[in-house]
Amino acid sequence: MKRSEQVLLKRVNEMVARLCANREKINLMEVCGTHTMAISSSGIRKAVDQRLRLVSGPGCPVCVTTDDEVDEATFLAGVDNITILTFGDMMRVTGSSGSLLEAKARGADVRVVYSPLDGLKMAAAEPEREFVFLGVGFETTAPTVAAAVIAAKRQGIKNFSVLPMFKLIPPALDYIASSKQINIDGFILPGHVSTIIGSKPYSFLVRRYHLPCCITGFEATDILGGIYILLNQIANKPEVAIQYQRSVRPEGNLHAQRLMRRVFRRVDAGWRGIGLIKKSGLKFREGFQRFDARKRFDEKFNGFKTRHRKNEQRKNCRCGEVMLGVLIPTDCPLFARVCTPARPFGPCMVSSEGACAAYYKYER
């Protein structure tokens, strides 16, 4: 550790010792998967006083995607004349009907892209094919997808659509904060999502649940600084603090928020391991519904729905409990035995932001 990190670590551990004079443990949840990776790779989880538990949250977009949504994607991949466009992490995530990688091996046209605008260019170049982009992600991804849809509408591109699987972070935190099963003393809030939405959408966590909150950057000094802020709030008064001030403003990115509101509206959405959370997803507004792949291919989806039992989830997958902080990856009976990065059983081992992948690489 660098000198600055050692100084912060010493302050954190002194504060933990002080607070734990009257309590057994302190549970802080790092909501974002990138934070999980940073905490594991920098050794913070092992270096802090073990009475401070840093548990993972539902902040990995691939990990919270349900089996049903993966199955929808693999079903569409098997339809003639449809090309599926996706970010790379989704390729190996397995639903109850296999993965996109397996669909590609069977001959499906599945292409990895780095942005939805890349997919828009492909659609413009091959007007005879239908191109479906998988809308997986949080408030960080939705604005770029909205911008691509607006561009498709403006350019008159008719063979591009989106399969919306978006999730919104504040409703998930409301679920966690209100749960009697999940005992969290404070949140290390996500830096990327907060760059878009700002700090105000988290204020209910303080007002309703009296929980300390800190939006934190991704360097080790950021995370240790954020933890120290949270411990100070536990000792004094909870609030929504911004440690990541070089990127996050209280009001967020207003242009990105306008793009999301123009194209999407909030709807209930299913989360892996949690189930339905009210107003935690996004759906196309009137005027943009022709870009909704579920509507565009509604007749083809009828065949999928008759064969597929909704909300079915593969047995033995414990990713849901890992993402709620109820279970740490090494406590899962499949971890590093049945489930490895080479042969992942659940999405938390697949994703580059997955908690199981982080523990496998850095904390075994």
Side-chain angles (χ1 to χ4, degrees), residues 92-107:
R92 294 198 304 144
V93 178
T94 303
S96 60
S97 305
S99 68
L100 287 169
L101 191 63
E102 292 166 341
K104 185 178 177 67
R106 291 193 294 269

Side-chain angles (χ1 to χ4, degrees), residues 287-306:
F288 292 95
Q289 292 189 352
R290 66 186 173 91
F291 296 100
D292 186 339
R294 289 193 182 93
K295 287 189 176 296
R296 185 190 291 255
F297 304 109
D298 184 54
E299 289 187 8
K300 298 186 187 303
F301 269 123
N302 284 336
F304 166 78
K305 291 171 184 173
T306 56

Side-chain angles (χ1 to χ4, degrees), residues 73 76-77 82-86 100 109-112 130 132 134:
L76 270 188
I82 289 181
T83 297
I84 297 294
L85 306 169
T86 180
L100 287 169
D109 188 359
V110 182
R111 305 182 193 179
V112 173
E130 290 282 348
V132 179
L134 302 187

